[in-house]
Amino acid sequence: MRLQTKAIHIGRGVDPSTGAVSIPLHTSTTFERGADGAFPSGFEYTRDANPTRNAFEAAMAALEGGHQAIAFSSGMAAISAVIEGHPSRGRIVVPDDMYFGIRSLMDETDIGRRFDFVPVDMRDLDALHTAVTGADTGLVWIETPSNPLIRVVDIAAACQIANEAGALAVVDNTWATPVLQRPLEFGADAVMHSATKYIGGHSDLMAGVVVTPEGSPLERPLRMIQRHKGSVAAPFDCWLALRGLQTLPLRMEAHCEGARKVADALNAHRHVKQVLFPGLPDDPGHALATRQMSGYGAMLSFIVAGGAEAAMAVAGRLRLIVRATSLGGAHSLIEHRASVEGPKSMAPAGLLRVSVGLEHPQDIIDDLTQALDGLA
Ligand SMILES: *Cc1c(COP(=O)(O)O)cnc(C)c1O
């Protein structure tokens, strides 16, 4: 079965009790025992397992080519579970332009005190090698393309370096989705998603998921953290995510096409200093992205000439593109990352990050152009 078909069918047969084609939403928290005390359906209590959540997990495992998927209440809950559940606790090597939520986890919660985080620019494989070897690194956290600098990391090479040092390599695949990039095929030990983004696809659910290959040492710890620590994905969010998955391959195609056009238009504008997007032939990540992805995604950043003030002025003049955080939905969103992330941000002052949505690309371009034209 091909990916497009899996996205619609895996985990979801026609409901045998009613013939329903669309999967039922099971909100029940508890399930009846038989007279003999056993659970004839296999379900007991929703924190342990729920039919709608199981269906979402089965679909995600199939799309990533994994063995199991474990769904959490958010992407951050999934990340926290991987950090707490990886077998050798200690040093964790992370990207220096890591997703900002990980920095907050380090700075604002007990996780920062319990683990030793080592940031490194993973495009530099020698630097990664040095960071990983010679110390008891348990986990290498890979994000590609990265946020907000849209850097591309060589997944196969990074996983090999991690594994040779005895560490697990986990890839945050939120931005690429399994449609464009499948890290398990490049040797990753697990794949993580914020399903809040492209998988849901409509900015209306929050969930996270980790997919593990057969025999993964992460599988049991993650399942136990899900059950017993309890940050499980809600049945309704799983149901919405399953609905989103059906159109994920089609949406990604449209997202990618729109982003390429928007990147070209921005690149040609006189007030834009630089466009960060691996789909552009002269982007430093272009060749690598062409090798390990089947499309360049729809997240891009551009640097406005004139710094923070000019960037804020451009964002302020937009009429269609929404000034809001997050990404991966039908609405195009824009954000000035330096002001969101604060003094530790690696985002240049003039950088605006765009999640190119599913509006007509020319309308997105027209909006950006009128906003940029307003600069002196
Ligand atoms: C949004 C996001 C997360 C966190 O997911 P939540 O669902 O917001 O908790 C993690 N990684 C990346 C790359 C993201 O974009």
Side-chain angles (χ1 to χ4, degrees):
M1 214 184 272
R2 289 153 187 85
L3 187 110
Q4 288 83 345
T5 313
K6 287 182 188 170
I8 295 165
H9 287 274
I10 301 288
R12 290 145 287 175
V14 168
D15 180 36
S17 63
T18 61
V21 172
S22 166
I23 186 173
L25 165 59
H26 290 285
T27 56
S28 188
T29 51
T30 190
F31 300 84
E32 192 182 28
R33 281 183 198 269
D36 61 353
F39 289 95
S41 65
F43 294 101
E44 182 176 341
Y45 187 60
T46 273
R47 176 153 43 71
D48 293 337
N50 168 281
T52 314
R53 192 170 82 228
N54 281 15
F56 173 55
E57 291 179 342
M60 284 308 303
L63 290 177
E64 285 289 1
H67 178 243
Q68 276 207 35
I70 302 110
F72 295 91
S73 54
S74 67
M76 287 314 301
I79 292 172
S80 303
V82 172
I83 290 173
E84 294 190 305
H86 80 277
S88 47
R89 285 120 210 281
R91 235 167 102 92
I92 301 175
V93 175
V94 292
D96 57 352
D97 66 334
M98 71 195 95
Y99 169 68
F100 197 66
I102 297 190
R103 187 169 296 281
S104 304
L105 204 58
M106 285 160 46
D107 291 349
E108 314 274 359
T109 78
D110 61 310
I111 281 186
R113 296 187 293 277
R114 286 159 55 205
F115 299 91
D116 181 17
F117 288 88
V118 182
V120 62
D121 179 353
M122 293 192 192
R123 293 173 307 174
D124 180 348
L125 295 171
D126 292 332
L128 177 61
H129 193 268
T130 306
V132 168
T133 44
D136 61 338
T137 302
L139 184 64
V140 174
W141 188 263
I142 299 163
E143 295 173 18
T144 180
S146 76
N147 178 13
L149 299 177
I150 329 283
R151 291 172 173 173
V152 183
V153 174
D154 187 332
I155 298 174
C159 290
Q160 192 184 343
I161 290 170
N163 289 167
E164 279 171 5
L168 295 179
V170 180
V171 178
D172 182 336
N173 205 28
T174 301
W175 282 28
T177 82
V179 175
L180 305 181
Q181 175 172 280
R182 282 176 300 283
L184 296 181
E185 293 173 6
F186 296 107
D189 295 293
V191 176
M192 171 265 156
H193 282 279
S194 166
T196 313
K197 314 295 169 54
Y198 288 104
I199 288 171
H202 298 77
S203 307
D204 57 7
L205 71 90
M206 184 155 276
V209 65
V210 183
V211 182
T212 50
E214 181 132 38
S216 167
L218 281 168
E219 204 160 280
R220 188 178 156 77
L222 288 175
R223 190 62 78 189
M224 292 305 113
I225 289 173
Q226 179 197 40
R227 280 188 189 164
H228 305 310
K229 291 201 161 182
S231 58
V232 290
F236 185 48
D237 286 331
C238 293
W239 186 85
L240 284 172
L242 282 164
R243 182 190 171 99
L245 279 182
Q246 298 180 61
T247 54
L248 181 68
L250 268 177
R251 283 188 286 112
M252 291 317 291
E253 213 177 295
H255 276 297
C256 287
E257 193 190 320
R260 192 179 43 78
K261 290 179 175 161
V262 170
D264 283 339
L266 286 169
N267 213 17
H269 199 283
R270 67 191 188 287
H271 290 316
V272 173
K273 226 160 80 179
Q274 197 187 350
V275 179
L276 312 177
F277 180 62
L280 292 170
D282 57 354
D283 186 89
H286 180 72
L288 188 51
T290 305
R291 243 182 24 239
Q292 69 186 15
M293 302 175 78
S294 61
Y296 301 103
M299 292 301 299
L300 58 87
S301 293
F302 64 101
I303 301 170
V304 180
E309 206 175 312
M312 294 299 262
V314 169
R317 267 194 292 273
L318 293 165
R319 298 176 192 137
L320 178 75
I321 302 173
V322 182
R323 289 176 296 275
T325 197
S326 198
L327 55 115
H331 294 71
S332 289
L333 304 180
I334 196 161
E335 196 166 44
H336 184 248
R337 289 302 299 175
S339 41
V340 175
E341 298 184 4
K344 285 185 182 169
S345 175
M346 285 185 69
L351 181 143
L352 291 170
R353 187 192 76 183
V354 184
S355 169
V356 178
L358 297 175
E359 302 94 341
H360 193 289
Q362 194 56 50
D363 289 329
I364 303 171
I365 292 168
D366 289 349
D367 195 28
L368 286 164
T369 305
Q370 66 79 19
L372 282 160
D373 285 348
L375 291 176

